[in-house]
Amino acid sequence: MKTKNKGLELIKQFVGLELSPYLYTANVATIGYGATYYGTTDKKVNLSDSPISKSYAEELLKGMLTSYENGVMQ
């Protein structure tokens, strides 16, 4: 991940943290810091899923950022 800690904290501040699944305004089940999937798996977030820990939410965010960064660099 190329995003520095300051950028990561800014994203967290704007997105906010929800440890339980919630329905995003786009009508998509979301968890953590805006994750709609769990890590690199194809498993989508469902509203019936169990809550996650803050550390796992941060892990998901870092994984999403790495994926987005790689997409921009191509």
Side-chain angles (χ1 to χ4, degrees):
M1 185 180 78
K2 295 186 185 296
T3 302
K4 304 292 183 211
N5 283 339
K6 199 169 191 176
L8 191 61
E9 292 304 316
L10 184 64
I11 292 168
K12 288 179 183 179
Q13 180 183 351
F14 276 99
V15 175
L17 173 63
E18 291 288 339
L19 298 177
S20 294
Y22 64 97
L23 197 58
Y24 184 67
T25 55
N27 222 21
V28 177
T30 308
I31 200 164
Y33 294 103
T36 55
Y37 287 87
Y38 290 102
T40 58
T41 68
D42 288 334
K43 184 178 184 302
K44 287 184 177 183
V45 174
N46 290 303
L47 293 177
S48 60
D49 293 345
S50 297
I52 61 173
S53 66
K54 183 177 179 181
S55 61
Y56 186 51
E58 290 176 358
E59 200 177 301
L60 290 174
L61 175 59
K62 289 176 182 178
M64 288 186 300
L65 279 173
T66 299
S67 175
Y68 300 152
E69 290 169 348
N70 290 340
V72 169
M73 298 303 288
Q74 292 183 6

